[in-house]
Amino acid sequence: MAEIALVTGASRGIGAEIAKTLARDGFDIWLNYRSNSQKANEVKQEIEKLGRKCTLLEFDVTDFEKTKQSLEPMLLNNEIPFAIINNAGFRRDNLLAWLTQEEWKSVINVNLDGFFNVVKQILPYMLNKKRGRIVSIASVSGHIGVAGQTGYSAAKAGIIGASKSLAAEVAKKNVLVNVVSPGFVETDMLEGLPIDAILKTIPLRRLGKPQDIAELVSFLCSQKANYITGQAIQVNGGIC
Ligand code: NAP
């Protein structure tokens, strides 16, 4: 039986590429998304063409109860993912002077509460099995200051801190917890950003591709990464 990987926010962009790469590398996929059923179905079909199973799970990671209701039936049926990829994310940029409370909360909700809401459901089962991988997608903004992104930076730095602490908590149960922090990657999320100006800040002088991120995530979920935990690894074309 193939191992299962749950990928959140996998209907588009980096999450879709992670789901397809993990399927290529032998995982069956639980594919979460918020609302874009058409895109999610397209990714499911690509995964099935690779000969792997794909279960679509439509829920909003900010909603603890809905997340629980969606995952619990499978968990109680002893279907336990080997890997959780916390990828669902959301950007709402504004200088703090102008940032509304609603903007601040929405960014923290999706990016940081989403981490808690998903991990909380599955972690007890992973601990019981004494095996598992948790890889969360943060951002270069969680490592360095980016004007206009106080909320997003706080959420992504929060994921890094939470992952390091969780790694220390669960290492003795053979559950490995890491973070991958992308730089600027070609997805819908870059819409409206000044790409020419951004390119000048990237030593490799190109945007990242979703595949650049997905390959590291898959490596961290493989047996080649048995001794890596508590790390936040940047994939950003050399931004520092
Ligand atoms: P994207 O193209 O905007 O795709 C976002 C994905 O997340 C979609 O599948 C969306 O589902 C899902 N999603 C959003 N809110 C959700 C929620 N509340 N519950 C469940 N799913 C939700 O984003 P991306 O660029 O691939 O970003 C993926 C991750 O990488 C994010 O965590 C982002 O912060 C991080 N990141 C991206 C970049 C970049 O340059 N692209 C850089 C650094 C970090 P629907 O399709 O249903 O809306």
Side-chain angles (χ1 to χ4, degrees), residues 145-162:
V146 180
Q149 294 201 326
T150 49
Y152 188 70
S153 297
K156 294 304 195 183
I159 287 176
I160 294 167

PDB file of all heavy atoms in Angstrom, residues 145-162:
ATOM      1  N   GLY A 145      12.893  41.161   6.559  1.00  0.00           N
ATOM      2  CA  GLY A 145      11.841  42.185   6.554  1.00  0.00           C
ATOM      3  C   GLY A 145      11.408  42.544   5.138  1.00  0.00           C
ATOM      4  O   GLY A 145      12.243  42.745   4.262  1.00  0.00           O
ATOM      5  N   VAL A 146      10.097  42.580   4.914  1.00  0.00           N
ATOM      6  CA  VAL A 146       9.561  43.002   3.616  1.00  0.00           C
ATOM      7  C   VAL A 146       8.466  44.035   3.883  1.00  0.00           C
ATOM      8  O   VAL A 146       7.445  43.709   4.506  1.00  0.00           O
ATOM      9  CB  VAL A 146       8.976  41.802   2.837  1.00  0.00           C
ATOM     10  CG1 VAL A 146       8.428  42.262   1.495  1.00  0.00           C
ATOM     11  CG2 VAL A 146      10.031  40.710   2.627  1.00  0.00           C
ATOM     12  N   ALA A 147       8.701  45.268   3.433  1.00  0.00           N
ATOM     13  CA  ALA A 147       7.711  46.331   3.662  1.00  0.00           C
ATOM     14  C   ALA A 147       6.369  45.930   3.072  1.00  0.00           C
ATOM     15  O   ALA A 147       6.307  45.399   1.963  1.00  0.00           O
ATOM     16  CB  ALA A 147       8.208  47.633   3.036  1.00  0.00           C
ATOM     17  N   GLY A 148       5.318  46.171   3.812  1.00  0.00           N
ATOM     18  CA  GLY A 148       3.966  45.839   3.341  1.00  0.00           C
ATOM     19  C   GLY A 148       3.508  44.461   3.766  1.00  0.00           C
ATOM     20  O   GLY A 148       2.395  44.048   3.431  1.00  0.00           O
ATOM     21  N   GLN A 149       4.382  43.721   4.470  1.00  0.00           N
ATOM     22  CA  GLN A 149       4.018  42.336   4.799  1.00  0.00           C
ATOM     23  C   GLN A 149       4.147  42.036   6.297  1.00  0.00           C
ATOM     24  O   GLN A 149       4.547  40.924   6.663  1.00  0.00           O
ATOM     25  CB  GLN A 149       4.895  41.359   3.995  1.00  0.00           C
ATOM     26  CG  GLN A 149       4.625  41.434   2.488  1.00  0.00           C
ATOM     27  CD  GLN A 149       5.058  40.185   1.749  1.00  0.00           C
ATOM     28  OE1 GLN A 149       6.038  39.557   2.122  1.00  0.00           O
ATOM     29  NE2 GLN A 149       4.322  39.825   0.711  1.00  0.00           N
ATOM     30  N   THR A 150       3.814  42.991   7.162  1.00  0.00           N
ATOM     31  CA  THR A 150       3.962  42.702   8.601  1.00  0.00           C
ATOM     32  C   THR A 150       3.121  41.499   9.015  1.00  0.00           C
ATOM     33  O   THR A 150       3.599  40.615   9.738  1.00  0.00           O
ATOM     34  CB  THR A 150       3.578  43.913   9.476  1.00  0.00           C
ATOM     35  OG1 THR A 150       2.303  44.400   9.034  1.00  0.00           O
ATOM     36  CG2 THR A 150       4.623  45.006   9.419  1.00  0.00           C
ATOM     37  N   GLY A 151       1.881  41.440   8.544  1.00  0.00           N
ATOM     38  CA  GLY A 151       0.999  40.321   8.923  1.00  0.00           C
ATOM     39  C   GLY A 151       1.492  39.009   8.335  1.00  0.00           C
ATOM     40  O   GLY A 151       1.602  37.997   9.035  1.00  0.00           O
ATOM     41  N   TYR A 152       1.807  39.040   7.050  1.00  0.00           N
ATOM     42  CA  TYR A 152       2.270  37.831   6.358  1.00  0.00           C
ATOM     43  C   TYR A 152       3.598  37.353   6.968  1.00  0.00           C
ATOM     44  O   TYR A 152       3.776  36.156   7.227  1.00  0.00           O
ATOM     45  CB  TYR A 152       2.437  38.168   4.878  1.00  0.00           C
ATOM     46  CG  TYR A 152       2.735  37.021   3.955  1.00  0.00           C
ATOM     47  CD1 TYR A 152       1.781  36.050   3.657  1.00  0.00           C
ATOM     48  CD2 TYR A 152       3.973  36.917   3.331  1.00  0.00           C
ATOM     49  CE1 TYR A 152       2.058  35.011   2.772  1.00  0.00           C
ATOM     50  CE2 TYR A 152       4.263  35.891   2.448  1.00  0.00           C
ATOM     51  CZ  TYR A 152       3.307  34.938   2.171  1.00  0.00           C
ATOM     52  OH  TYR A 152       3.586  33.914   1.297  1.00  0.00           O
ATOM     53  N   SER A 153       4.513  38.303   7.238  1.00  0.00           N
ATOM     54  CA  SER A 153       5.804  37.944   7.859  1.00  0.00           C
ATOM     55  C   SER A 153       5.582  37.341   9.238  1.00  0.00           C
ATOM     56  O   SER A 153       6.236  36.360   9.605  1.00  0.00           O
ATOM     57  CB  SER A 153       6.701  39.172   8.004  1.00  0.00           C
ATOM     58  OG  SER A 153       7.026  39.704   6.768  1.00  0.00           O
ATOM     59  N   ALA A 154       4.663  37.940  10.001  1.00  0.00           N
ATOM     60  CA  ALA A 154       4.391  37.425  11.353  1.00  0.00           C
ATOM     61  C   ALA A 154       3.866  35.997  11.277  1.00  0.00           C
ATOM     62  O   ALA A 154       4.284  35.116  12.040  1.00  0.00           O
ATOM     63  CB  ALA A 154       3.369  38.321  12.056  1.00  0.00           C
ATOM     64  N   ALA A 155       2.952  35.758  10.322  1.00  0.00           N
ATOM     65  CA  ALA A 155       2.380  34.416  10.190  1.00  0.00           C
ATOM     66  C   ALA A 155       3.448  33.409   9.767  1.00  0.00           C
ATOM     67  O   ALA A 155       3.537  32.302  10.317  1.00  0.00           O
ATOM     68  CB  ALA A 155       1.244  34.430   9.171  1.00  0.00           C
ATOM     69  N   LYS A 156       4.279  33.780   8.796  1.00  0.00           N
ATOM     70  CA  LYS A 156       5.278  32.840   8.271  1.00  0.00           C
ATOM     71  C   LYS A 156       6.398  32.601   9.295  1.00  0.00           C
ATOM     72  O   LYS A 156       6.863  31.471   9.452  1.00  0.00           O
ATOM     73  CB  LYS A 156       5.845  33.345   6.944  1.00  0.00           C
ATOM     74  CG  LYS A 156       4.807  33.384   5.803  1.00  0.00           C
ATOM     75  CD  LYS A 156       4.147  32.028   5.556  1.00  0.00           C
ATOM     76  CE  LYS A 156       3.401  31.971   4.228  1.00  0.00           C
ATOM     77  NZ  LYS A 156       2.705  30.687   4.017  1.00  0.00           N
ATOM     78  N   ALA A 157       6.819  33.674   9.998  1.00  0.00           N
ATOM     79  CA  ALA A 157       7.811  33.490  11.067  1.00  0.00           C
ATOM     80  C   ALA A 157       7.199  32.640  12.184  1.00  0.00           C
ATOM     81  O   ALA A 157       7.896  31.836  12.819  1.00  0.00           O
ATOM     82  CB  ALA A 157       8.264  34.841  11.612  1.00  0.00           C
ATOM     83  N   GLY A 158       5.899  32.795  12.396  1.00  0.00           N
ATOM     84  CA  GLY A 158       5.198  31.974  13.394  1.00  0.00           C
ATOM     85  C   GLY A 158       5.238  30.503  13.036  1.00  0.00           C
ATOM     86  O   GLY A 158       5.439  29.638  13.903  1.00  0.00           O
ATOM     87  N   ILE A 159       5.062  30.206  11.759  1.00  0.00           N
ATOM     88  CA  ILE A 159       5.125  28.802  11.308  1.00  0.00           C
ATOM     89  C   ILE A 159       6.523  28.233  11.570  1.00  0.00           C
ATOM     90  O   ILE A 159       6.667  27.073  12.002  1.00  0.00           O
ATOM     91  CB  ILE A 159       4.787  28.704   9.800  1.00  0.00           C
ATOM     92  CG1 ILE A 159       3.290  28.918   9.587  1.00  0.00           C
ATOM     93  CG2 ILE A 159       5.233  27.367   9.211  1.00  0.00           C
ATOM     94  CD1 ILE A 159       2.872  28.930   8.129  1.00  0.00           C
ATOM     95  N   ILE A 160       7.543  29.056  11.309  1.00  0.00           N
ATOM     96  CA  ILE A 160       8.918  28.583  11.512  1.00  0.00           C
ATOM     97  C   ILE A 160       9.138  28.281  13.001  1.00  0.00           C
ATOM     98  O   ILE A 160       9.642  27.217  13.370  1.00  0.00           O
ATOM     99  CB  ILE A 160       9.934  29.621  10.982  1.00  0.00           C
ATOM    100  CG1 ILE A 160       9.804  29.740   9.457  1.00  0.00           C
ATOM    101  CG2 ILE A 160      11.362  29.242  11.384  1.00  0.00           C
ATOM    102  CD1 ILE A 160      10.530  30.936   8.845  1.00  0.00           C
ATOM    103  N   GLY A 161       8.724  29.206  13.871  1.00  0.00           N
ATOM    104  CA  GLY A 161       8.895  28.996  15.312  1.00  0.00           C
ATOM    105  C   GLY A 161       8.115  27.790  15.800  1.00  0.00           C
ATOM    106  O   GLY A 161       8.634  26.948  16.545  1.00  0.00           O
ATOM    107  N   ALA A 162       6.864  27.691  15.355  1.00  0.00           N
ATOM    108  CA  ALA A 162       6.027  26.572  15.798  1.00  0.00           C
ATOM    109  C   ALA A 162       6.612  25.245  15.321  1.00  0.00           C
ATOM    110  O   ALA A 162       6.608  24.247  16.060  1.00  0.00           O
ATOM    111  CB  ALA A 162       4.605  26.747  15.249  1.00  0.00           C
TER     112      ALA A 162
END
